[in-house]
Amino acid sequence: MKKLYSALMTAFNDDGTVNEAGTREMIRYNIDVNKVDGLYVGGSTGENFNMSHEQKEQVFKIAIDEAKNDVDLIAQVGSLDLNEAKYLAKFVTDLGYPHISAVTPFYYNYTFEQIKNYYNEIVKDVDNELIIYSIPVLTGVSLSLDQFAELFENPKIIGIKYTNADFFLLERVRNRFPDKLILSGFDEMLLPALALGVDGAIGSTYNLNAKRAKAEMNAFDAGDIDKARQLQKDSNDLISALIANDIYPSLKLVFKELGVNAGVTKRPMAQPTPEMIAGAKKIYNDYLK
Ligand code: NAY
């Protein structure tokens, strides 16, 4: 059974502090209404890379406390500070997170040896399994097939969150590592990823659109490709509108239309403007009502 995960958002107050009640509301909505299989906590959509260390700990605590054992949880602990990544890997493992994930280290153009060392260090002292978070569009770091193979030499490294439009590489990865967990990260390209045999998907727009994405996965599994394409088209109409309206703040504004207090994004992310708010209302009316 393929699994669908929402990339959990963090509700922020206007002053950039975490809005705990709003974050809990989004978690509940994902579990109770969206019925997702899991949550990816501390990823890009969660604005992890905007947060202080204390805020990261706070969100990891809130998510597992609210979600308990209702859904699968993956904690993204990767950081430019390897010591922080190692600390957070232990922190979330002690909290009970069943999986960890770490973004490829970025900004300083690390060599592959340095990247490999980073991953091996993160998992070394924790009794947990790690999913590589590969997102070249934001990190500028692309891993090759052979580099994934080298990382997988460590048995604690069990999969990839593959947020990449390189489908040639995805096919090669799937074919070479049939037993590894591969989760697709671009919601607008879910169908081609399913065609190449991914085990599931993690994404931002599933916070609002999980039911349609699940239906698409089910149609694909049943061999009804026409239905799956129609559902992907409907999803992509929504995703295009979200991107055009600035996706991260808009996801939160649309959540408000659904009665969920998702707070705002944290500066320097864009703050809501009247145009953006009107755009979010239109997105809700056009695609989600
Ligand atoms: C995460 O860590 O939050 C993710 O899962 C990232 C996946 C998202 N990628 C980015 C760059 O935000 O869900 C996607 C993306 O928002 C969506 O496909 C629209 O492009």
Side-chain angles (χ1 to χ4, degrees), residues 88-135:
L88 289 174
K90 181 161 182 343
F91 181 78
V92 297
T93 302
D94 290 347
L95 283 177
Y97 277 78
H99 308 286
I100 55 176
S101 179
V103 72
T104 50
F106 53 95
Y107 192 80
Y108 286 112
N109 291 329
Y110 294 111
T111 64
F112 177 67
E113 279 311 301
Q114 290 162 338
I115 294 173
K116 189 169 140 186
N117 179 55
Y118 162 94
Y119 280 111
N120 288 334
E121 279 282 314
I122 291 174
V123 292
K124 191 163 63 118
D125 298 324
V126 289
D127 185 15
N128 210 334
E129 294 176 325
L130 180 139
I131 298 163
I132 300 160
Y133 182 11
S134 176
I135 180 162

Short mmCIF file of all heavy atoms in Angstrom, two decimals, residues 88-135:
data_model
loop_
_atom_site.label_atom_id
_atom_site.label_comp_id
_atom_site.label_asym_id
_atom_site.label_seq_id
_atom_site.Cartn_x
_atom_site.Cartn_y
_atom_site.Cartn_z
N LEU A 88 19.54 16.63 17.32
CA LEU A 88 18.11 16.49 17.02
C LEU A 88 17.74 15.05 16.67
O LEU A 88 16.64 14.59 16.99
CB LEU A 88 17.69 17.44 15.89
CG LEU A 88 17.66 18.93 16.24
CD1 LEU A 88 17.37 19.77 15.00
CD2 LEU A 88 16.62 19.23 17.34
N ALA A 89 18.67 14.33 16.03
CA ALA A 89 18.39 12.93 15.70
C ALA A 89 18.15 12.16 17.00
O ALA A 89 17.23 11.34 17.10
CB ALA A 89 19.56 12.33 14.92
N LYS A 90 18.97 12.43 18.00
CA LYS A 90 18.81 11.74 19.29
C LYS A 90 17.54 12.25 19.99
O LYS A 90 16.77 11.47 20.55
CB LYS A 90 20.05 11.99 20.15
CG LYS A 90 19.96 11.30 21.48
CD LYS A 90 21.30 11.14 22.14
CE LYS A 90 21.23 10.40 23.47
NZ LYS A 90 19.95 10.27 24.14
N PHE A 91 17.34 13.56 19.91
CA PHE A 91 16.17 14.18 20.57
C PHE A 91 14.86 13.56 20.07
O PHE A 91 14.01 13.14 20.86
CB PHE A 91 16.21 15.69 20.31
CG PHE A 91 15.11 16.47 20.94
CD1 PHE A 91 15.14 16.78 22.29
CD2 PHE A 91 14.04 16.91 20.18
CE1 PHE A 91 14.11 17.50 22.88
CE2 PHE A 91 13.01 17.65 20.75
CZ PHE A 91 13.05 17.95 22.10
N VAL A 92 14.72 13.47 18.75
CA VAL A 92 13.45 12.95 18.21
C VAL A 92 13.34 11.44 18.41
O VAL A 92 12.25 10.92 18.61
CB VAL A 92 13.23 13.32 16.71
CG1 VAL A 92 13.13 14.82 16.54
CG2 VAL A 92 14.29 12.72 15.80
N THR A 93 14.47 10.76 18.37
CA THR A 93 14.44 9.31 18.61
C THR A 93 13.98 9.06 20.04
O THR A 93 13.11 8.20 20.29
CB THR A 93 15.82 8.69 18.34
OG1 THR A 93 16.18 8.98 16.98
CG2 THR A 93 15.81 7.18 18.54
N ASP A 94 14.50 9.84 20.98
CA ASP A 94 14.07 9.70 22.38
C ASP A 94 12.59 10.05 22.54
O ASP A 94 11.90 9.48 23.39
CB ASP A 94 14.92 10.58 23.30
CG ASP A 94 16.35 10.07 23.42
OD1 ASP A 94 16.61 8.93 22.99
OD2 ASP A 94 17.22 10.83 23.91
N LEU A 95 12.11 11.00 21.73
CA LEU A 95 10.68 11.35 21.81
C LEU A 95 9.79 10.23 21.25
O LEU A 95 8.59 10.21 21.49
CB LEU A 95 10.39 12.62 21.00
CG LEU A 95 10.77 13.97 21.59
CD1 LEU A 95 10.45 15.09 20.58
CD2 LEU A 95 10.02 14.24 22.90
N GLY A 96 10.38 9.34 20.46
CA GLY A 96 9.61 8.22 19.91
C GLY A 96 9.34 8.29 18.41
O GLY A 96 8.55 7.49 17.89
N TYR A 97 9.99 9.22 17.70
CA TYR A 97 9.79 9.27 16.24
C TYR A 97 10.31 7.98 15.61
O TYR A 97 11.48 7.61 15.84
CB TYR A 97 10.52 10.48 15.64
CG TYR A 97 9.74 11.77 15.75
CD1 TYR A 97 9.70 12.48 16.94
CD2 TYR A 97 9.05 12.27 14.65
CE1 TYR A 97 8.97 13.66 17.05
CE2 TYR A 97 8.33 13.45 14.75
CZ TYR A 97 8.30 14.14 15.95
OH TYR A 97 7.57 15.30 16.03
N PRO A 98 9.48 7.33 14.79
CA PRO A 98 9.92 6.06 14.20
C PRO A 98 10.93 6.21 13.06
O PRO A 98 11.60 5.23 12.72
CB PRO A 98 8.62 5.44 13.68
CG PRO A 98 7.65 6.55 13.56
CD PRO A 98 8.06 7.61 14.53
N HIS A 99 11.03 7.40 12.46
CA HIS A 99 12.00 7.60 11.37
C HIS A 99 12.60 9.00 11.49
O HIS A 99 11.93 9.93 11.91
CB HIS A 99 11.34 7.54 9.99
CG HIS A 99 10.52 6.34 9.77
ND1 HIS A 99 11.04 5.09 9.56
CD2 HIS A 99 9.18 6.20 9.73
CE1 HIS A 99 10.07 4.23 9.40
NE2 HIS A 99 8.92 4.87 9.51
N ILE A 100 13.84 9.11 11.00
CA ILE A 100 14.43 10.44 10.83
C ILE A 100 14.77 10.65 9.36
O ILE A 100 14.82 9.70 8.57
CB ILE A 100 15.67 10.66 11.72
CG1 ILE A 100 16.73 9.57 11.48
CG2 ILE A 100 15.30 10.74 13.18
CD1 ILE A 100 18.02 9.79 12.27
N SER A 101 14.99 11.90 9.03
CA SER A 101 15.36 12.27 7.67
C SER A 101 16.32 13.44 7.78
O SER A 101 16.30 14.16 8.80
CB SER A 101 14.08 12.68 6.92
OG SER A 101 14.35 13.06 5.59
N ALA A 102 17.17 13.61 6.79
CA ALA A 102 18.07 14.77 6.85
C ALA A 102 18.33 15.29 5.45
O ALA A 102 18.64 14.52 4.52
CB ALA A 102 19.40 14.39 7.52
N VAL A 103 18.18 16.58 5.31
CA VAL A 103 18.45 17.24 4.04
C VAL A 103 19.94 17.12 3.75
O VAL A 103 20.78 17.06 4.67
CB VAL A 103 18.01 18.72 4.11
CG1 VAL A 103 18.93 19.56 4.99
CG2 VAL A 103 17.88 19.34 2.72
N THR A 104 20.30 17.08 2.47
CA THR A 104 21.72 17.11 2.12
C THR A 104 22.30 18.44 2.62
O THR A 104 21.65 19.49 2.48
CB THR A 104 21.89 17.05 0.59
OG1 THR A 104 21.03 18.03 -0.01
CG2 THR A 104 21.54 15.68 0.03
N PRO A 105 23.50 18.43 3.18
CA PRO A 105 24.07 19.69 3.65
C PRO A 105 24.33 20.61 2.44
O PRO A 105 24.78 20.14 1.40
CB PRO A 105 25.37 19.28 4.34
CG PRO A 105 25.71 17.95 3.79
CD PRO A 105 24.43 17.30 3.39
N PHE A 106 24.00 21.88 2.61
CA PHE A 106 24.03 22.79 1.46
C PHE A 106 24.85 24.03 1.79
O PHE A 106 25.45 24.13 2.85
CB PHE A 106 22.60 23.14 1.03
CG PHE A 106 21.72 23.66 2.15
CD1 PHE A 106 21.57 25.03 2.37
CD2 PHE A 106 21.05 22.77 2.97
CE1 PHE A 106 20.77 25.50 3.38
CE2 PHE A 106 20.23 23.24 4.00
CZ PHE A 106 20.10 24.60 4.21
N TYR A 107 24.89 24.94 0.88
CA TYR A 107 25.52 26.27 0.95
C TYR A 107 27.02 26.25 0.68
O TYR A 107 27.51 27.02 -0.11
CB TYR A 107 25.23 26.98 2.28
CG TYR A 107 25.63 28.45 2.24
CD1 TYR A 107 24.78 29.38 1.64
CD2 TYR A 107 26.85 28.89 2.72
CE1 TYR A 107 25.15 30.70 1.54
CE2 TYR A 107 27.22 30.22 2.62
CZ TYR A 107 26.37 31.12 2.04
OH TYR A 107 26.72 32.44 1.94
N TYR A 108 27.79 25.32 1.31
CA TYR A 108 29.25 25.38 1.17
C TYR A 108 29.83 24.47 0.09
O TYR A 108 31.04 24.22 0.10
CB TYR A 108 29.93 25.08 2.50
CG TYR A 108 29.80 26.23 3.47
CD1 TYR A 108 29.03 26.11 4.62
CD2 TYR A 108 30.43 27.46 3.24
CE1 TYR A 108 28.90 27.17 5.51
CE2 TYR A 108 30.29 28.51 4.12
CZ TYR A 108 29.53 28.36 5.25
OH TYR A 108 29.40 29.42 6.12
N ASN A 109 29.00 23.96 -0.82
CA ASN A 109 29.52 23.08 -1.88
C ASN A 109 30.38 21.95 -1.31
O ASN A 109 31.54 21.79 -1.69
CB ASN A 109 30.33 23.87 -2.91
CG ASN A 109 29.46 24.77 -3.74
OD1 ASN A 109 28.29 24.45 -3.99
ND2 ASN A 109 30.00 25.90 -4.17
N TYR A 110 29.81 21.21 -0.40
CA TYR A 110 30.56 20.10 0.19
C TYR A 110 30.89 19.04 -0.83
O TYR A 110 30.13 18.81 -1.77
CB TYR A 110 29.73 19.48 1.33
CG TYR A 110 29.54 20.41 2.49
CD1 TYR A 110 28.29 20.94 2.78
CD2 TYR A 110 30.62 20.78 3.28
CE1 TYR A 110 28.12 21.81 3.85
CE2 TYR A 110 30.45 21.65 4.35
CZ TYR A 110 29.20 22.17 4.62
OH TYR A 110 29.03 23.03 5.66
N THR A 111 32.01 18.34 -0.60
CA THR A 111 32.35 17.19 -1.45
C THR A 111 31.44 16.03 -1.05
O THR A 111 30.85 16.03 0.04
CB THR A 111 33.80 16.75 -1.21
OG1 THR A 111 33.91 16.30 0.15
CG2 THR A 111 34.79 17.89 -1.46
N PHE A 112 31.40 15.02 -1.93
CA PHE A 112 30.56 13.87 -1.59
C PHE A 112 31.08 13.19 -0.32
O PHE A 112 30.28 12.73 0.50
CB PHE A 112 30.47 12.87 -2.75
CG PHE A 112 29.66 11.67 -2.35
CD1 PHE A 112 28.30 11.78 -2.08
CD2 PHE A 112 30.27 10.44 -2.17
CE1 PHE A 112 27.56 10.70 -1.64
CE2 PHE A 112 29.53 9.35 -1.72
CZ PHE A 112 28.17 9.48 -1.47
N GLU A 113 32.38 13.11 -0.14
CA GLU A 113 32.93 12.49 1.07
C GLU A 113 32.41 13.20 2.31
O GLU A 113 32.10 12.57 3.33
CB GLU A 113 34.47 12.54 1.06
CG GLU A 113 35.12 11.45 0.22
CD GLU A 113 34.57 10.06 0.50
OE1 GLU A 113 34.65 9.59 1.66
OE2 GLU A 113 34.03 9.45 -0.45
N GLN A 114 32.34 14.51 2.23
CA GLN A 114 31.84 15.28 3.38
C GLN A 114 30.34 15.01 3.61
O GLN A 114 29.90 14.90 4.76
CB GLN A 114 32.12 16.78 3.17
CG GLN A 114 33.61 17.09 3.24
CD GLN A 114 33.96 18.44 2.62
OE1 GLN A 114 33.23 18.99 1.79
NE2 GLN A 114 35.11 18.98 3.01
N ILE A 115 29.61 14.90 2.52
CA ILE A 115 28.16 14.62 2.64
C ILE A 115 27.96 13.22 3.24
O ILE A 115 27.12 13.02 4.13
CB ILE A 115 27.48 14.74 1.25
CG1 ILE A 115 27.53 16.19 0.77
CG2 ILE A 115 26.06 14.22 1.30
CD1 ILE A 115 27.05 16.42 -0.65
N LYS A 116 28.75 12.27 2.78
CA LYS A 116 28.64 10.90 3.29
C LYS A 116 28.97 10.85 4.79
O LYS A 116 28.26 10.21 5.58
CB LYS A 116 29.60 10.01 2.51
CG LYS A 116 29.45 8.55 2.76
CD LYS A 116 30.27 7.78 1.74
CE LYS A 116 30.96 6.61 2.39
NZ LYS A 116 31.87 5.93 1.46
N ASN A 117 29.99 11.56 5.15
CA ASN A 117 30.38 11.61 6.56
C ASN A 117 29.26 12.21 7.41
O ASN A 117 28.96 11.73 8.50
CB ASN A 117 31.67 12.43 6.68
CG ASN A 117 32.11 12.54 8.13
OD1 ASN A 117 32.28 11.53 8.79
ND2 ASN A 117 32.26 13.75 8.62
N TYR A 118 28.63 13.26 6.87
CA TYR A 118 27.50 13.92 7.56
C TYR A 118 26.40 12.89 7.86
O TYR A 118 25.93 12.76 9.00
CB TYR A 118 27.02 15.05 6.65
CG TYR A 118 25.67 15.67 6.84
CD1 TYR A 118 25.50 16.82 7.62
CD2 TYR A 118 24.55 15.18 6.16
CE1 TYR A 118 24.26 17.43 7.74
CE2 TYR A 118 23.31 15.79 6.27
CZ TYR A 118 23.16 16.92 7.06
OH TYR A 118 21.93 17.52 7.16
N TYR A 119 26.00 12.12 6.84
CA TYR A 119 24.92 11.15 7.06
C TYR A 119 25.34 10.06 8.04
O TYR A 119 24.58 9.68 8.93
CB TYR A 119 24.45 10.55 5.73
CG TYR A 119 23.51 11.47 5.00
CD1 TYR A 119 23.88 12.11 3.82
CD2 TYR A 119 22.24 11.74 5.51
CE1 TYR A 119 23.02 12.97 3.16
CE2 TYR A 119 21.37 12.61 4.87
CZ TYR A 119 21.77 13.23 3.70
OH TYR A 119 20.91 14.09 3.06
N ASN A 120 26.56 9.55 7.86
CA ASN A 120 26.99 8.47 8.76
C ASN A 120 27.09 8.95 10.20
O ASN A 120 26.76 8.22 11.13
CB ASN A 120 28.33 7.88 8.27
CG ASN A 120 28.13 7.06 7.00
OD1 ASN A 120 27.04 6.53 6.75
ND2 ASN A 120 29.17 6.95 6.20
N GLU A 121 27.50 10.18 10.37
CA GLU A 121 27.58 10.76 11.72
C GLU A 121 26.19 10.91 12.34
O GLU A 121 26.01 10.65 13.52
CB GLU A 121 28.22 12.16 11.64
CG GLU A 121 29.73 12.15 11.57
CD GLU A 121 30.35 11.89 12.93
OE1 GLU A 121 29.91 12.52 13.90
OE2 GLU A 121 31.25 11.06 12.99
N ILE A 122 25.23 11.35 11.54
CA ILE A 122 23.88 11.60 12.09
C ILE A 122 23.28 10.30 12.64
O ILE A 122 22.67 10.29 13.71
CB ILE A 122 22.95 12.23 11.03
CG1 ILE A 122 23.40 13.66 10.71
CG2 ILE A 122 21.49 12.24 11.50
CD1 ILE A 122 22.65 14.33 9.57
N VAL A 123 23.50 9.19 11.92
CA VAL A 123 22.84 7.94 12.37
C VAL A 123 23.69 7.14 13.36
O VAL A 123 23.19 6.21 14.00
CB VAL A 123 22.47 7.01 11.17
CG1 VAL A 123 21.37 7.64 10.35
CG2 VAL A 123 23.67 6.67 10.32
N LYS A 124 24.97 7.52 13.50
CA LYS A 124 25.92 6.67 14.25
C LYS A 124 25.43 6.31 15.65
O LYS A 124 25.43 5.14 16.01
CB LYS A 124 27.27 7.41 14.34
CG LYS A 124 28.40 6.52 14.85
CD LYS A 124 29.75 7.09 14.55
CE LYS A 124 29.94 8.41 15.25
NZ LYS A 124 30.92 8.63 16.18
N ASP A 125 24.98 7.30 16.40
CA ASP A 125 24.68 7.02 17.81
C ASP A 125 23.18 6.92 18.10
O ASP A 125 22.77 7.00 19.25
CB ASP A 125 25.29 8.13 18.69
CG ASP A 125 26.80 8.15 18.56
OD1 ASP A 125 27.39 7.05 18.43
OD2 ASP A 125 27.38 9.25 18.55
N VAL A 126 22.37 6.80 17.06
CA VAL A 126 20.93 6.70 17.33
C VAL A 126 20.38 5.38 16.81
O VAL A 126 20.79 4.87 15.77
CB VAL A 126 20.09 7.85 16.70
CG1 VAL A 126 20.33 9.14 17.42
CG2 VAL A 126 20.29 7.97 15.22
N ASP A 127 19.41 4.87 17.56
CA ASP A 127 18.77 3.64 17.15
C ASP A 127 17.55 4.03 16.31
O ASP A 127 16.42 4.00 16.79
CB ASP A 127 18.36 2.88 18.43
CG ASP A 127 17.78 1.53 18.10
OD1 ASP A 127 17.96 1.08 16.95
OD2 ASP A 127 17.13 0.94 18.97
N ASN A 128 17.82 4.47 15.10
CA ASN A 128 16.74 4.91 14.22
C ASN A 128 17.21 4.80 12.78
O ASN A 128 18.42 4.66 12.53
CB ASN A 128 16.34 6.36 14.55
CG ASN A 128 14.87 6.63 14.25
OD1 ASN A 128 14.27 5.97 13.41
ND2 ASN A 128 14.29 7.59 14.95
N GLU A 129 16.27 4.88 11.85
CA GLU A 129 16.62 4.74 10.44
C GLU A 129 16.36 6.06 9.71
O GLU A 129 15.42 6.78 10.06
CB GLU A 129 15.77 3.64 9.81
CG GLU A 129 16.11 2.28 10.40
CD GLU A 129 15.20 1.17 9.88
OE1 GLU A 129 14.01 1.44 9.64
OE2 GLU A 129 15.70 0.06 9.73
N LEU A 130 17.18 6.33 8.73
CA LEU A 130 17.17 7.65 8.11
C LEU A 130 16.77 7.60 6.63
O LEU A 130 17.19 6.71 5.89
CB LEU A 130 18.56 8.28 8.25
CG LEU A 130 18.72 9.68 7.66
CD1 LEU A 130 19.56 10.57 8.59
CD2 LEU A 130 19.36 9.69 6.27
N ILE A 131 16.00 8.60 6.26
CA ILE A 131 15.60 8.79 4.86
C ILE A 131 16.33 10.05 4.36
O ILE A 131 16.19 11.12 4.96
CB ILE A 131 14.07 8.97 4.77
CG1 ILE A 131 13.37 7.69 5.26
CG2 ILE A 131 13.63 9.32 3.35
CD1 ILE A 131 11.92 7.87 5.61
N ILE A 132 17.11 9.90 3.31
CA ILE A 132 17.84 11.04 2.75
C ILE A 132 16.82 12.03 2.17
O ILE A 132 15.90 11.62 1.45
CB ILE A 132 18.77 10.57 1.60
CG1 ILE A 132 19.79 9.56 2.11
CG2 ILE A 132 19.45 11.76 0.91
CD1 ILE A 132 20.40 8.71 0.99
N TYR A 133 16.98 13.30 2.47
CA TYR A 133 16.10 14.32 1.88
C TYR A 133 16.87 15.00 0.75
O TYR A 133 17.75 15.81 1.00
CB TYR A 133 15.67 15.32 2.96
CG TYR A 133 14.72 16.41 2.50
CD1 TYR A 133 14.08 16.37 1.27
CD2 TYR A 133 14.43 17.49 3.33
CE1 TYR A 133 13.21 17.37 0.87
CE2 TYR A 133 13.55 18.50 2.95
CZ TYR A 133 12.95 18.44 1.72
OH TYR A 133 12.09 19.43 1.33
N SER A 134 16.50 14.63 -0.48
CA SER A 134 17.18 15.18 -1.65
C SER A 134 16.26 16.19 -2.33
O SER A 134 15.19 15.82 -2.83
CB SER A 134 17.51 14.03 -2.61
OG SER A 134 18.08 14.55 -3.79
N ILE A 135 16.66 17.44 -2.34
CA ILE A 135 15.84 18.50 -2.94
C ILE A 135 16.77 19.50 -3.64
O ILE A 135 17.01 20.61 -3.16
CB ILE A 135 14.88 19.15 -1.89
CG1 ILE A 135 14.02 20.25 -2.51
CG2 ILE A 135 15.59 19.60 -0.63
CD1 ILE A 135 12.78 20.65 -1.72
#
